[in-house]
Amino acid sequence: MKKLILIFFISHLSFSSNAQEKKSKNAKHNIEVNGNCELCKKRIEKAAFSVPGVKSATWNPDEKVLHLIVNEEKTSDLEVQKAVAKAGHDTKEVKATDEAYKNLHSCCSYDRN
């Protein structure tokens, strides 16, 4: 009988500890994105939100950083960078094509190093 109670107690503890562990699938990322103005802001954020799994996307023109919250089970920051580059804006890891860059409005033309 004591063994049965001990087994019950140990299994109960094991299930309780597993239930308390909750892994977060949402992660914050900050990505440098080239751009200049409010038109860039709208375009960059729209491109980021076009990626399934993006929960939040805010680009700041002064710091040129895209602040993201993404569901890592659905996407990665690299996928967001690809979408932003497709819209014409370079990131540190993914460069926009020359054609996408040329399609930007004249005020959105940034210095491509």
Side-chain angles (χ1 to χ4, degrees):
M1 184 69 177
K2 286 183 181 183
K3 286 184 181 180
L4 186 60
I5 292 173
L6 183 61
I7 291 171
F8 175 75
F9 182 71
I10 290 172
S11 56
H12 180 68
L13 279 177
S14 132
F15 286 123
S16 296
S17 65
N18 285 339
Q20 291 176 2
E21 290 180 28
K22 183 178 179 186
K23 293 185 180 181
S24 176
K25 56 186 172 185
N26 293 334
K28 293 181 181 181
H29 297 277
N30 294 317
I31 302 169
E32 291 180 33
V33 180
N34 291 331
N36 294 326
C37 61
E38 289 299 314
L39 286 175
C40 295
K41 176 180 173 60
K42 289 179 184 178
R43 186 180 311 103
I44 291 166
E45 291 174 359
K46 182 178 179 181
F49 278 117
S50 74
V51 179
V54 173
K55 304 282 187 177
S56 173
T58 307
W59 183 74
N60 184 314
D62 295 328
E63 49 182 32
K64 300 193 184 328
V65 173
L66 177 62
H67 301 283
L68 290 173
I69 298 176
V70 299
N71 179 334
E72 290 189 319
E73 293 178 347
K74 295 182 179 180
T75 193
S76 66
D77 66 335
L78 183 60
E79 291 303 314
V80 176
Q81 289 184 58
K82 289 177 184 177
V84 168
K86 191 174 179 180
H89 294 273
D90 294 342
T91 69
K92 233 178 183 177
E93 294 182 36
V94 183
K95 301 296 180 197
T97 64
D98 289 337
E99 183 179 334
Y101 177 75
K102 288 177 185 176
N103 287 333
L104 295 177
H105 192 272
S106 60
C107 70
C108 299
S109 297
Y110 52 87
D111 184 25
R112 295 183 93 184
N113 293 332

